[in-house]
Amino acid sequence: MAVPYFDYPTRYAGWTEDVLDAVREVGESDEFILKSRVAALETAVARRTGAAEAIAVASGTGALTVILTAMDIGPGDDVVTPAFSFISSASTVALRGARPVFADVDYDTAMLTVATVEAVRTTASRAVVPAYLFASSPDMPALRALADRHSMRLIEDSAVALGGQVAGRPAGRHGDAGVYSFFPGKPLGGIGDAGMIVTDDPELATTCRMLRNHGQDLNVRFLHHLVGFNSRMDEVTALFLLRRLPHLDQFLAERRRLARQYGALLREAAPVVLTPPGDLTGQSVYTYVVRAPQRDDLRSYLAGRGIETKVYYPRPLHLQPAFRHLGHGPGDFPVAERLSRECLALPLHPELPAGTVERVVEEIAGFYRQGA
């Protein structure tokens, strides 16, 4: 039997009526975008995270764009961001006219560290954007102290991390602002793109609320104080997420259970494969990513046996053509480049059929045995 990396039909099989009910309820109302259900979701996320303010937007990338704009980061400013991450960690900076300053990451966690940020920080650095990836979290207290020491804004790209904890505090709640994504593949996946900003800064929140809706006044329609964006959440998405949010802890518990099972079996059967560090307690396990020798050959071998995997990310950001103008080349960020050659994401989601983890590990072990 084939093992898809992610099985959307199975994931949403039990939620069909919720989707239809959401469409029906919204369709029969006169509220479609940024209305009562969006406001209810903002309240629920604020309560869940302890944030003073939660601002719903159209995507996780939109959340970063709105925050950077609200902070007036633009031409002449540097923003430190990881060389190994999804592109929006840096593209949102570049689109503001600011300069993404790439920093290397820690090999074990794929995270920015104080040392890697300090190695590239400039006098023009206005902000640092640590990104949460896979099943790891940055050392946010240390990065908070660094940002304070150098008068930089701290923006958490915590898009994958809703429900996780870092040093006893919710992921996304250590910086001046944090973001969450509700892209369908995320732990709290919706049925389309959507995102959320969280912050304790009321002035920043007000500016973000205007910017997400074309810079419009919050009380007077067609009065625009700022040049903003169309980054608004719709009511169908908000209602569906409201129904899924109470189940988030259950989703995350199952992801952690499967991740721990992978780790225990891989360390026994294929110790050459490096598993994520730690016991994953409190983490929001978005993807289960191992570091594998002969990664591409292993991936082909697994595909031939019906097991689909993904590569996050095959090319680090400093080597992307989109950032050629920054002048980087191979060898500039060696850890990011090594991770791009070794990282492999294995199938992991709460609906994974029983026995799947054992089968995937058995096939991985078989690949390395044949080369022994």
Side-chain angles (χ1 to χ4, degrees):
M1 183 181 297
V3 178
Y5 175 73
F6 199 93
D7 189 348
Y8 284 102
T10 298
R11 177 173 199 175
Y12 289 104
W15 293 87
T16 302
E17 288 305 314
D18 293 271
V19 175
L20 294 175
D21 286 346
V23 173
R24 186 180 302 111
E25 179 181 322
V26 172
E28 292 173 353
S29 75
D30 61 351
E31 296 187 331
F32 300 104
I33 298 170
L34 287 187
K35 299 296 184 182
S36 62
R37 297 162 190 85
V38 171
L41 180 64
E42 290 175 332
T43 298
V45 171
R47 184 181 301 118
R48 165 89 200 210
T49 62
E53 304 274 359
I55 304 98
V57 291
S59 67
T61 298
L64 288 173
T65 300
V66 166
I67 291 168
L68 289 163
T69 306
M71 291 180 175
D72 196 29
I73 290 173
D77 296 329
D78 288 351
V79 177
V80 180
T81 188
F84 188 74
S85 180
F86 183 60
I87 192 169
S88 62
S89 300
S91 63
T92 51
V93 174
L95 286 169
R96 287 292 305 147
R99 183 171 74 114
V101 175
F102 293 120
D104 215 343
V105 293
D106 174 69
Y107 178 69
D108 290 333
T109 64
M111 300 288 104
L112 284 185
T113 68
V114 168
T116 63
V117 172
E118 289 282 23
V120 300
R121 182 185 59 81
T122 70
T123 55
S125 295
R126 284 276 314 282
V128 56
V129 184
Y132 294 65
L133 291 180
F134 315 144
S136 294
S137 302
D139 184 348
M140 292 310 307
L143 290 168
R144 173 77 273 176
L146 176 145
D148 290 343
R149 189 162 59 248
H150 298 297
S151 300
M152 294 191 295
R153 307 303 291 267
L154 180 61
I155 304 166
E156 288 181 76
D157 186 354
S158 45
V160 304
L162 180 61
Q165 297 273 330
V166 183
R169 189 171 173 83
R173 298 287 293 111
H174 296 258
D176 297 285
V179 308
Y180 305 119
S181 170
F182 304 120
F183 175 79
K186 298 294 194 292
L188 186 69
I191 49 173
D193 259 334
M196 191 73 70
I197 298 165
V198 288
T199 183
D200 287 339
D201 183 336
E203 184 177 345
L204 180 67
T206 296
T207 305
C208 287
R209 291 185 190 280
M210 287 192 290
L211 284 168
R212 71 176 175 182
N213 191 22
H214 301 285
Q216 183 172 267
D217 187 278
L218 301 185
N219 299 305
V220 181
R221 195 177 185 195
F222 301 134
L223 174 61
H224 301 269
H225 300 285
L226 304 166
V227 177
F229 311 95
N230 181 354
S231 187
R232 305 174 297 188
M233 186 184 291
D234 69 84
E235 292 284 294
V236 171
T237 295
L239 181 54
F240 183 64
L241 289 168
L242 274 168
R243 295 189 176 190
R244 283 179 64 82
L245 183 58
H247 302 271
L248 177 58
D249 288 332
Q250 173 189 340
F251 299 153
L252 292 176
E254 181 61 9
R255 285 175 176 271
R256 292 176 190 126
R257 186 191 70 80
L258 292 168
R260 285 192 290 267
Q261 185 181 14
Y262 263 128
L265 293 175
L266 283 168
R267 285 188 287 272
E268 176 69 25
V272 68
V273 173
L274 297 181
T275 59
D279 64 2
L280 308 178
T281 299
Q283 297 296 89
S284 182
V285 180
Y286 168 45
T287 48
Y288 190 79
V289 176
V290 298
R291 288 148 293 155
Q294 302 170 260
R295 191 269 313 280
D296 293 339
D297 290 340
L298 171 61
R299 190 176 185 219
S300 296
Y301 179 90
L302 294 175
R305 283 150 181 79
I307 298 171
E308 183 184 15
T309 58
K310 298 288 184 182
V311 173
Y312 302 108
Y313 296 95
R315 187 189 296 253
L317 292 180
H318 67 288
L319 299 181
Q320 292 286 353
F323 297 117
R324 186 180 293 116
H325 64 284
L326 296 175
H328 294 297
D332 284 357
F333 303 104
V335 176
E337 293 170 33
R338 181 180 177 187
L339 289 170
S340 73
R341 295 190 299 268
E342 295 181 1
C343 280
L344 185 68
L346 307 180
L348 185 145
H349 52 85
E351 299 78 21
L352 208 63
T356 302
V357 171
E358 292 90 338
R359 178 184 166 194
V360 172
V361 172
E362 180 181 341
E363 295 291 1
I364 291 173
F367 169 79
Y368 288 109
R369 280 197 301 269
Q370 73 173 7

